[in-house]
Amino acid sequence: MSIAPASDYTIPTKDTVNKGVMLMTKNDLRVVEIPMPVPEKDHVQVQVKCTGICGSDMHLCRHGEIGIFEAKQPLILGHESAGVVTAVGEGVTSLKVGDRVAVEAGIPCSSCDQCMMGRYHLCPDVIFKSTPPHHGQLAKYITHPARWLHKIPETLSYEEGALLEPLSVAVAAVDRVRAKFGQSLLITGCGPIGLLVLAVARVAGVHPIVMTDVQQNRLDYAKKMGATTTYKIIPGQDELTTAKEIRALFNRSEGAECVLECTGIESSFRTAIMATRDAGTCCLVGVGKNDQTIPVNNFAMREVDIRGLFRYHHTYPRAISLISSGMLDVKHMVTHRFDFDDALKAFDTVGDTSSNALKVQIMN
C-alpha cells in the first residue's frame, strides 16, 4: 500500500475553505461552502481527490429522488470517491495521515441480523453516503469511519480508486446472477455499470456475452471491450420480437443462461426476462420506476429465476485486486475530468447525450 507524496494533499487549517456539491432541490445544484469536518472516534478525515458521477446522482438531480429514497432537504451528492487521509480520530490505528484510500460509501450498524450474516448492505439502519437523507462525498474534505476505508496501492490512481465503487456493483452483479465459466450472459444497457459488468464477466470466463443498447456508439465501445455480440434496440419495436431476436444470438436460439438488466427501464426488464433461457436467471441491476409490470407467466412457466441486486458487500478487496493485478483495465472508461469548481459543468456533460461521456469524474 502506498503513502501519498506531500504534494498530493493539504492538511486543512482554520483558514481552509471546504466546499461541497449540494442539491438544494430538484434541478437546483450548487457548489457551496460547508463546514470543515472533524473526525470523531474511530473516524478519519479524508481530502477527497476524485469523485465519479453516478447515474443515481443524475436521477436525484432531475427527480429529487432515487428509488424509494426522496431528498426532502438539501443534499451533498457523490458516493464514488478516493482520496488521502488528512487527520485521524481517537482510537484509529489502521490508518495514518497520508494513506491513499478508497471510500466504501455504506456504513452499516454491524450488529443486526443482516450484518451478522455478512449481508451488511441490507442493514436496515445503513447510512449510505448521498442516499437521502445522508450527505454524500462530493466535497473537498469529508469524514468517514476508518473501518469502511480501503487502502489502495501505488499502482492505482485516484481515478481508479473512485471507479472501485461502480466496479463493486459489477462484481456483485456477476455474483448475484451466478454466472460461471463458460455460461452465456446477456447484459442490457451499455452504460458504465453494464460495461464494467462486461469487464468482470470476461475475467470470470463467462462466454458468450451479448450486450444491448439503443446507442450505436455505446455498442461499438462494448465490442472493443470484448463483447461477443451486440444488438441495437429499436425503440417502439414489439418486445416479443426483440426478445426473439436476442434469443437467436445464443446457442440453439434458447436465450441466455444468465441475464443482467442494467438500465432499470421497464421495457428493457420485460425484454430481458423473455430473452432468458428456460431455467435461467434474470437479475435486475438498474434502478427505475418503483412499480413496473413484468410478464409473470412467461418467467413462471419457464422456471426463470428473477433476482434483485442492491449495492454490494465484501467486494472492495476483490475489485482492488482485479485492477492492481492487471487483470482489469478500467481507466479508459473515464472520458471526462473536471476541476472541483467546475462540478456543475461535469453534471451538464453527463446529462448531454451528445458528449458521448461514459464516466465523468470531478478532481480536487
Side-chain angles (χ1 to χ4, degrees), residues 16 42 55 66 71 78 80 169 240 260 295-296 304 319 340 343 352-353 358:
T16 304
D42 298 326
I66 180 71
E80 303 177 4
V169 175
L240 284 171
L260 288 166
V296 175
V304 170
F340 194 91
D352 179 8
T353 56
L358 278 178

Side-chain angles (χ1 to χ4, degrees), residues 15-26:
D15 298 319
T16 304
V17 175
N18 193 20
K19 293 182 179 181
V21 179
M22 184 172 289
L23 181 67
M24 307 306 292
T25 186
K26 183 171 62 175

